[in-house]
Structure formats: C-alpha cells, structure tokens
Amino acid sequence: MSANAGERAEKSGDFRCARCHRTTHVTKGHVIPKCPHCGNATFDTRRNEP
C-alpha cells in the first residue's frame, strides 16, 4: 500500500518513507504529511495498525 503526502489516511498506522525508510505515525482521517526527516512525499508501507 503506497500513500502520498496530502492524502487523508484511511487507517491509522506508521507510514514508512519510500526514500529514507523512517516512519511517521498518522491517525485515521488526518492528512499525511511530507516525511519530517527528509521531506519526501511518498510512503511505501503502513505498519503497526491498531
């Protein structure tokens, strides 16, 4: 499952950056931000779902 910055998260979880592979937690319904570590806008996986 890939996701992009600016989209609303369909489910809560930790989104892994496609570039630096660090994770950012996003809660369901909130807008996915750009990676706070490298500024990338694409996330390739979501982990640690509730």
Side-chain angles (χ1 to χ4, degrees), residues 12-50:
S12 295
D14 293 331
F15 288 76
R16 188 178 80 138
C17 176
R19 182 187 298 158
C20 73
H21 306 292
R22 294 183 70 179
T23 59
T24 302
H25 185 80
V26 183
T27 304
K28 178 181 177 178
H30 290 174
V31 174
I32 300 168
K34 286 187 176 184
C35 176
H37 308 288
C38 72
N40 187 41
T42 305
F43 295 86
D44 57 10
T45 59
R46 180 174 44 84
R47 301 172 57 180
N48 299 328
E49 300 173 36

